[in-house]
């Protein structure tokens, strides 16, 4: 059992894997929840706005960002256009549809190999051999 003083409030606590006491951890989690809720309602808020509005220490805010518990949207990400089909953010301004939706659209427009346009008439098919091993299907281009 390792006893230490909390770095925030100075209270004595059992330091197993934390550098602050349980009471300060709970306060920190409440502040994090408040910051996350604020970012949900104000998507383009900056770090400085949150520090001013919620009275959070900048070191605590930087810690949450480093731990990836809090993420800010940059103005560049916020202004990027979205895909017309799925809503995903596009990588460049000259696109209307993302690469995934373009590929899906191209694949859906192609005719499948089993369609009537690609199949041979039954009379022209070669007789099946009785050989064992790997079997090949031959397609005749027309």
């Amino acid at each position: 059992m390792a006893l230490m003083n909390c770095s925030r409030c100075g209270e004595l606590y059992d330091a197993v894997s934390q550098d602050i006491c349980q009471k300060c951890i709970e306060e920190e989690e409440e502040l994090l929840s408040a910051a996350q809720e604020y970012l949900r309602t104000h998507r383009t808020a900056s770090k400085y706005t949150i520090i001013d509005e919620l009275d959070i220490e900048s070191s605590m805010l930087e810690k949450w960002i480093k731990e990836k518990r809090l993420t800010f949207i940059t103005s560049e990400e916020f202004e990027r256009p979205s895909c017309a089909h799925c809503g995903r953010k596009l990588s460049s301004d000259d696109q209307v549809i993302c690469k995934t939706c373009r590929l899906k659209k191209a694949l859906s427009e192609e005719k499948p190999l089993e369609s009537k346009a690609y199949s041979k008439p039954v009379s022209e098919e070669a007789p099946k051999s009785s050989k064992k091993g790997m079997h090949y299907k031959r397609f005749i281009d027309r």
Side-chain angles (χ1 to χ4, degrees), residues 31 33 36 45 50 55 63 80 82 94 111 113 122 141:
L31 285 172
S33 296
Q36 289 171 337
I50 290 183
D55 196 30
K63 177 182 148 190
R80 285 191 329 197
S82 299
D94 59 338
K111 295 181 181 178
L113 291 177
V122 178
D141 292 332

Side-chain angles (χ1 to χ4, degrees), residues 32-72:
L32 175 64
S33 296
Q36 289 171 337
E37 186 60 36
Y38 187 83
L39 279 175
R40 281 188 199 103
T41 57
H42 304 89
R43 295 189 62 178
T44 58
S46 67
K47 296 175 193 177
Y48 307 110
T49 307
I50 290 183
I51 290 170
D52 291 339
E53 291 289 324
L54 302 177
D55 196 30
I56 297 175
E57 298 172 16
S58 62
S59 60
M60 196 178 299
L61 196 64
E62 292 299 325
K63 177 182 148 190
W64 293 335
I65 294 169
K66 185 178 178 182
E67 293 173 350
K68 297 188 178 178
R69 297 176 78 189
L70 201 61
T71 306
F72 289 90

Side-chain angles (χ1 to χ4, degrees), residues 115-134:
S115 71
K116 292 180 182 178
Y118 292 107
S119 65
K120 295 187 282 183
V122 178
S123 61
E124 291 182 23
E125 287 186 16
K128 293 183 180 179
S129 64
S130 61
K131 295 180 182 178
K132 294 186 177 185
M134 188 176 278

Side-chain angles (χ1 to χ4, degrees), residues 83-84 86 88-90 95-103:
C83 175
C86 68
R88 183 180 296 141
K89 294 289 182 185
L90 298 173
Q95 295 177 337
V96 177
I97 302 173
C98 67
K99 291 178 183 178
T100 307
C101 291
R102 267 189 281 155
L103 181 63

Side-chain angles (χ1 to χ4, degrees), residues 107-115 117-118:
L107 290 174
S108 68
E109 290 176 355
E110 287 183 6
K111 295 181 181 178
L113 291 177
E114 286 88 34
S115 71
Y118 292 107

